[in-house]
Amino acid sequence: MQGKGLLTGLSVTIRHFFGKKVTVQYPEEKLPMSETFRGGKLVLDQKKCIGCRLCSMACPNEALDLTVETDENKKRHMKKYIHKSGRCLYCGFCVEACPTKAVTWDKNYAIACYTRTDLTYDAVKSDGRNETHE
Amino acid sequence: MHSGLLVMTADMLSNGIDSLIGNTLITQFIMVILEIVAIFAVISVAVIIQVYMERRVCGFIQDRLGPNRVGPFGILQTVADMIKLMSKEDIIPAKAERVLWGITPMLLFIPAALVYAVFPFDDGAIFTDLNIGIFFVLAVMSQSVLMFLIGGFASENKYSFIGGMRAVAQMLSSEIPMAFSIMAVVMVTGSLKMSTIVAAQSGTWFVFIQPLAFIIFIISMTMETNRTPFDLVEGESEIIAGPFTEYSGMRWALFFLAEYTNLLTAAVLTTTLFLGGWQGPVLPGIVWFIIKVFLMIFVFMWIRWTFPRTRIDQMMGFSWKILLPLALFNIIATGIGVYIYNWMY
Amino acid sequence: MTEAVSKVIRTEEYQLSMGPVHPSTHGVLQILLTLDGERVVKAVPCMGYLHRGIEKLMESRNYFQCMPYTDRLDYVSAMNNDFAYCRAVEKLAQLEVPERAQYIRVIMAELNRIASHMIFIGSLAVDVGATTGMIYPFRDRECILDIFNELCGARMTYSYIRIGGVKSDLSVKVIDMINVFLKNLSAMIDEYNDLLTGNEIFQHRLKNTSVITAEQALQLGLTGPMLRASGVNYDLRKDNAYSSYEDFIFDVPLGNSGDNWDRYIVRMKEMRQSAKIVKQALDGLPEGSVMAKVPKVLRPPKGEVYVTTEGPRGEVGYHIISDGTVKPYRVHIRRPSLINLQALDLMCRGYLVGDVVVAMSTIDPILGEVDC
Ligand code: SF4
Ligand code: SF4
């Protein structure tokens, strides 16, 4: 009969009207990020990094700008690890490529910023998470 | 005889002013002004409540919470929006017919507010109990189509233009079944007067005597108020916002205001004609009236957030080929019923 | 209208430019409509507003680095795009994908197909004006996105399916999540059926509009649900089974009249079939590694391949030419959305403005893919 579907539809919506709500009230509640989450800012553990540049080579969009320094013992270490997050695809290839797992995501997804220059930051200066490049 | 809460308050007020000034004429004049102010206050407050309610209902139906940030439970959200709209830049399209375009939102509000003059809010609380009350409502309500048309034309925007044309087609097709469905009620009552119609429902509400008329009325009222499933005039996925496409800021807010005033009108009319108006046991009349009106508003919202939109040809076909014959049939049936009733008693 | 009258009342056709700024063009597409009143005389889709030159970008990246870009073509079903690209490269480099990886790929591709069809239902619902009908599928799609997020750390651009296999094995948690989702899916689809499919207004809007006959569909080169809605039984998963699709039992839903309603119903049914495939694949998941032996520097031999895969919108084809270096010499992508969009004029001609948005929705184009 015509009209039956309309009533079924109305019954669906009224059920939801009284039903449980599914939204997360963001600033108070936050979703947990998964182990594998790719996002936020890159954090470089300078002690682990061997300056091999594999990460920047794996990057599809040239988002990593590295300055490697060789000290007197012929040991390379990272002087600057500029991440141009405006170019970043968040593919995580850099993290995967690193042989010593020196570079990781900080998983802080609230990374919106006001100016374009804030997008570029140096991951070496951390532990300084969330610090922008001056 | 009149015992309603509102009437008592008004009487007290007028007596007070009378004793203060001592001139009946001036007192009456002041009372009229007060009544006009009261209408606008009622409308504005009702609109703010409705907008909040619409968002909440919509949110709840969609498994969300709706606005809950501004003020306790988000009740100040509408106020915040109003402030935002008022502080917006007034953009007038370069090619628009400036005068017509500018006055349309204001004109639109007039018929929307005018009908409140004849609504019985409580026992005796009616501003002017015209003896052609319901006819007056129909006549005034159909004026709003002109504003839609003017707005659509004056915007010089093709979407607005289509919207304006649709408005005419839609209002024409909705008003006729609506008038006929009201006719059945009028036949039962034998009067066009709003207060008589309400009084006639002291025993049984007309929704039980005239269920068919009730359904037809609800459907044509959704058409009249441009709400889904008949929101063709402003069907946002098709013609963006129809006649309001070019309006922004305060002007758009006026459209919005008129829209929700119309929704309130629809609910008030349904309550008056079919749900017994202010009548109800125990509680004072005005409370019953408000309960019923908001229940109707909820029904309209519930419908809106459930159904998809019809297409213009389907909507017109539906109202001319189905609603109108049904309404006519209802009139004939009512006529026979009334005749038999009179003959028997 | 008689001759005499039409001389007095002059009517004329007018152009309406729907989009690129319009609520229902699914992104930035412009449709130039020529209208006679509300009736459509001609509809010309103008695209290019989202062109990013992905095919060209790929030429300057090595085969691995192209992966994130395929995600960004059809961002609603990125898994299927990655899948198509990886299959093409694997064929080019003659890599053998382990069976476990093949199964996992199928699971992910089918889950993504369900997610994509949910978007379709949602956007169709909102285009016919049922806002609530949009929220429910989008809400349920979150479950799939959560699975993907747990799996590979991204909700939209996965880069999970890799050349030679998949990025990582399924964790127990992911398998649990998929099982829970499959259990709930039936109820979700029932809810859409109650809210939309059964709704008479919805039916009237969709039935007998924008009809494409089987012949026209073939001539236009339509693929995927668009083609099957017209009654042509053509599904690459069956007709040219790849990646172990031959191991699974499933039906290919077909329409018969090729109208908007059929296109909707076909996708509705496909969701259940996809769930069936996922279930079978999960149950029969073989042991083994999930990644083939892929050289660190991939230099496929000189030559070219064209490999097609059944995506949610149709046939996703990758034509890759290799000159023996680490970078592809040329990549051409057959994007189903682009080709399906060609049917728009046929679907709109003679119908009303209100039908245009519905036709647009049932084509279900993703503008990222149309403009590439
Ligand atoms: S996530 Fe991808 S694009 Fe971003 S820096 Fe790492 S490799 Fe480059
Ligand atoms: S971060 Fe890792 S890949 Fe990058 S230079 Fe350091 S060690 Fe090499």
Side-chain angles (χ1 to χ4, degrees):
Chain A
M1 205 198 81
Q2 294 280 315
K4 190 158 157 278
L6 301 181
L7 295 179
T8 328
L10 285 174
S11 76
V12 170
T13 42
I14 198 74
R15 262 206 312 279
H16 280 279
F17 181 81
F18 292 111
K20 211 172 127 270
K21 308 291 166 258
V22 295
T23 42
V24 176
Q25 297 305 308
Y26 167 64
E28 291 94 37
E29 266 177 83
K30 283 183 183 165
L31 287 174
M33 281 299 117
S34 71
E35 277 298 297
T36 46
F37 179 68
R38 315 193 300 250
K41 294 190 164 178
L42 285 173
V43 186
L44 184 81
D45 185 342
Q46 230 176 335
K47 284 188 221 88
K48 283 193 196 161
C49 179
I50 51 171
C52 62
R53 287 176 183 273
L54 278 178
C55 49
S56 81
M57 254 137 64
C59 181
N61 214 18
E62 292 165 16
L64 295 173
D65 191 354
L66 318 186
T67 319
V68 184
E69 222 175 37
T70 320
D71 62 9
E72 54 274 21
N73 307 333
K74 292 261 167 63
K75 208 168 158 263
R76 284 178 297 181
H77 61 91
M78 199 60 69
K79 186 152 175 255
K80 265 189 186 161
Y81 197 93
I82 309 287
H83 181 212
K84 298 177 200 148
S85 64
R87 292 184 69 100
C88 183
L89 302 168
Y90 293 95
C91 59
F93 284 5
C94 45
V95 177
E96 280 170 46
C98 179
T100 60
K101 302 273 163 279
V103 64
T104 45
W105 292 112
D106 74 353
K107 299 197 183 357
N108 175 14
Y109 49 83
I111 48 171
C113 49
Y114 284 102
T115 59
R116 222 187 165 96
T117 44
D118 290 350
L119 291 169
T120 309
Y121 65 95
D122 189 349
V124 164
K125 269 184 47 197
S126 33
D127 62 27
R129 294 176 183 217
N130 291 332
E131 246 183 70
T132 50
H133 171 66
E134 276 98 6
Chain B
M1 178 202 167
H2 290 149
S3 59
L5 211 61
L6 281 186
V7 179
M8 265 151 48
T9 325
D11 280 348
M12 254 164 64
L13 210 63
S14 99
N15 286 340
I17 299 171
D18 210 10
S19 61
L20 219 63
I21 300 171
N23 186 332
T24 344
L25 210 63
I26 298 179
T27 312
Q28 270 176 5
F29 182 72
I30 292 177
M31 281 311 287
V32 167
I33 300 277
L34 276 182
E35 280 166 4
I36 292 173
V37 171
I39 286 191
F40 280 98
V42 164
I43 290 177
S44 330
V45 172
V47 166
I48 288 180
I49 295 174
Q50 281 179 84
V51 173
Y52 174 70
M53 185 174 156
E54 174 109 89
R55 291 182 172 170
R56 276 292 193 172
V57 169
C58 157
F60 273 46
I61 281 180
Q62 297 176 350
D63 285 348
R64 306 183 279 116
L65 286 179
N68 62 348
R69 297 279 153 183
V70 192
F73 301 104
I75 42 175
L76 295 180
Q77 183 68 50
T78 328
V79 180
D81 283 341
M82 278 308 221
I83 295 172
K84 182 202 82 175
L85 284 173
M86 273 191 264
S87 57
K88 269 192 159 181
E89 189 192 345
D90 184 26
I91 302 169
I92 303 174
K95 285 197 173 168
E97 292 279 343
R98 295 177 79 100
V99 178
L100 283 180
W101 187 85
I103 58 169
T104 306
M106 292 163 230
L107 286 184
L108 187 67
F109 189 62
I110 294 173
L114 205 55
V115 286
Y116 285 80
V118 296
F119 287 156
F121 293 99
D122 192 0
D123 194 1
I126 179 165
F127 294 108
T128 21
D129 198 2
L130 288 181
N131 53 3
I132 50 158
I134 193 71
F135 183 70
F136 173 80
V137 170
L138 283 180
V140 172
M141 258 170 68
S142 52
Q143 296 307 310
S144 62
V145 62
L146 273 178
M147 315 321 159
F148 280 109
L149 193 60
I150 294 173
F153 267 107
S155 298
E156 290 281 342
N157 174 319
K158 284 166 192 165
Y159 291 111
S160 309
F161 174 68
I162 296 179
M165 301 305 278
R166 279 187 180 186
V168 177
Q170 177 165 336
M171 301 254 173
L172 275 183
S173 4
S174 71
E175 227 128 72
I176 292 172
M178 180 169 72
F180 278 115
S181 66
I182 293 176
M183 193 97 88
V185 173
V186 172
M187 281 167 78
V188 176
T189 328
S191 167
L192 290 165
K193 216 169 171 171
M194 294 293 240
S195 55
T196 325
I197 293 175
V198 175
Q201 297 180 67
S202 55
T204 341
W205 294 356
F206 283 155
V207 60
F208 302 117
I209 302 176
Q210 292 285 349
L212 188 60
F214 176 69
I215 292 170
I216 295 171
F217 184 76
I218 292 274
I219 295 175
S220 41
M221 227 43 219
T222 25
M223 291 180 186
E224 188 75 20
T225 49
N226 294 327
R227 294 174 69 82
T228 326
F230 303 106
D231 59 341
L232 292 152
V233 175
E234 50 203 273
E236 97 270 13
S237 63
E238 294 160 27
I239 51 171
I240 305 182
F244 331 146
T245 308
E246 294 288 356
Y247 288 92
S248 60
M250 210 43 225
R251 296 173 200 272
W252 181 80
L254 277 174
F255 270 111
F256 207 60
L257 196 65
E259 194 176 314
Y260 279 94
T261 315
N262 279 335
L263 174 62
L264 186 65
T265 310
V268 169
L269 263 186
T270 324
T271 312
T272 313
L273 293 178
F274 293 98
L275 300 180
W278 44 264
Q279 306 197 68
V282 189
L283 296 173
I286 183 72
V287 178
W288 272 112
F289 187 77
I290 291 175
I291 291 177
K292 285 175 191 170
V293 164
F294 275 92
L295 200 72
M296 273 324 294
I297 291 176
F298 176 76
V299 169
F300 280 120
M301 288 177 179
W302 181 17
I303 291 174
R304 171 169 181 182
W305 296 110
T306 306
F307 291 153
R309 178 184 314 121
T310 54
R311 210 170 51 212
I312 183 78
D313 58 330
Q314 288 166 348
M315 175 256 151
M316 288 178 70
F318 176 69
S319 90
W320 290 105
K321 290 185 198 153
I322 297 175
L323 280 191
L324 185 57
L326 270 181
L328 285 174
F329 165 78
N330 190 41
I331 286 183
I332 295 170
T334 312
I336 295 171
V338 168
Y339 184 79
I340 293 174
Y341 185 86
N342 287 343
W343 179 68
M344 274 167 58
Y345 300 96
Chain C
M1 204 180 273
T2 58
E3 266 302 299
V5 174
S6 64
K7 260 178 208 145
V8 184
I9 304 169
R10 198 171 55 89
T11 65
E12 72 182 44
E13 292 170 357
Y14 62 101
Q15 279 223 329
L16 180 68
S17 141
M18 210 180 203
V21 188
H22 187 278
S24 63
T25 48
H26 295 222
V28 275
L29 173 73
Q30 183 187 20
I31 310 173
L32 270 181
L33 293 171
T34 309
L35 297 175
D36 175 13
E38 278 222 28
R39 211 157 276 283
V40 179
V41 180
K42 199 170 149 202
V44 184
C46 311
M47 43 222 152
Y49 292 94
L50 203 61
H51 180 67
R52 292 152 295 169
I54 286 184
E55 286 178 358
K56 189 72 191 165
L57 282 173
M58 283 176 155
E59 289 170 19
S60 56
R61 275 141 182 88
N62 71 33
Y63 286 94
F64 298 110
Q65 288 176 337
C66 290
M67 287 291 320
Y69 293 91
T70 58
D71 283 328
R72 282 158 177 80
L73 280 169
D74 178 355
Y75 37 79
V76 169
S77 57
M79 287 282 184
N80 296 72
N81 270 279
D82 293 352
F83 194 4
Y85 171 72
C86 290
R87 280 190 61 228
V89 176
E90 281 148 15
K91 188 166 175 204
L92 195 63
Q94 282 130 18
L95 293 167
E96 198 53 53
V97 181
E99 205 174 349
R100 187 175 172 86
Q102 288 187 6
Y103 270 58
I104 295 176
R105 283 175 172 196
V106 167
I107 293 171
M108 293 312 149
E110 293 306 319
L111 280 178
N112 212 173
R113 189 187 309 276
I114 296 175
S116 165
H117 284 350
M118 280 176 173
I119 293 253
F120 160 77
I121 296 164
S123 51
L124 176 64
V126 80
D127 279 352
V128 295
T131 328
T132 307
M134 173 194 86
I135 299 285
Y136 294 166
F138 271 63
R139 172 199 65 197
D140 299 339
R141 171 173 167 265
E142 285 298 301
C143 304
I144 302 179
L145 297 192
D146 285 344
I147 295 173
F148 289 156
N149 192 17
E150 187 61 41
L151 181 75
C152 62
R155 300 169 72 82
M156 289 283 276
T157 48
Y158 312 113
S159 298
Y160 173 71
I161 297 177
R162 295 287 169 85
I163 298 166
V166 296
K167 178 181 162 195
S168 56
D169 206 345
L170 298 182
S171 67
V172 183
K173 189 171 174 199
V174 169
I175 293 178
D176 282 348
M177 283 168 93
I178 297 175
N179 277 326
V180 170
F181 171 74
L182 288 181
K183 240 199 346 271
N184 296 339
L185 180 69
S186 187
M188 295 170 184
I189 298 176
D190 287 344
E191 193 168 83
Y192 314 151
N193 281 337
D194 283 348
L195 188 65
L196 294 171
T197 319
N199 190 309
E200 279 84 0
I201 301 174
F202 191 68
Q203 291 179 6
H204 283 300
R205 278 302 293 275
L206 263 58
K207 277 182 182 164
N208 299 323
T209 50
S210 305
V211 178
I212 304 179
T213 63
E215 200 180 325
Q216 284 168 329
L218 286 171
Q219 277 169 356
L220 282 163
L222 305 184
T223 45
M226 290 272 292
L227 180 65
R228 291 194 284 273
S230 298
V232 183
N233 190 351
Y234 177 72
D235 187 327
L236 285 171
R237 292 175 294 170
K238 272 250 195 281
D239 299 335
N240 188 8
Y242 52 88
S243 189
S244 306
Y245 264 112
E246 63 276 3
D247 298 356
F248 310 119
I249 303 159
F250 64 100
D251 299 325
V252 178
L254 291 181
N256 38 39
S257 53
D259 55 3
N260 284 332
W261 178 251
D262 275 347
R263 283 188 279 279
Y264 167 72
I265 287 294
V266 162
R267 287 188 174 99
M268 270 301 215
K269 289 184 180 158
E270 265 183 19
M271 292 190 0
R272 287 194 201 268
Q273 297 303 327
S274 293
K276 219 162 123 187
I277 298 173
V278 176
K279 182 127 203 58
Q280 293 171 45
L282 260 191
D283 290 345
L285 200 62
E287 292 300 316
S289 83
V290 292
M291 197 67 180
K293 288 237 172 317
V294 185
K296 275 264 170 313
V297 180
L298 188 65
R299 284 185 220 276
K302 250 192 172 116
E304 54 185 283
V305 285
Y306 178 66
V307 177
T308 54
T309 308
E310 185 74 28
R313 291 178 177 70
E315 204 175 300
V316 189
Y318 275 80
H319 187 174
I320 304 180
I321 304 177
S322 158
D323 55 359
T325 61
V326 291
K327 294 172 184 172
Y329 176 72
R330 171 85 170 94
V331 181
H332 172 75
I333 311 162
R334 182 204 192 274
R335 289 107 60 197
S337 292
L338 171 73
I339 291 158
N340 291 350
L341 196 60
Q342 312 307 315
L344 188 69
D345 184 45
L346 174 75
M347 290 166 77
C348 295
R349 224 170 254 242
Y351 298 101
L352 298 172
V353 176
D355 292 324
V356 174
V357 287
V358 181
M360 259 296 291
S361 281
T362 55
I363 294 175
D364 192 20
I366 295 298
L367 270 295
E369 195 180 44
V370 170
D371 294 335
C372 178

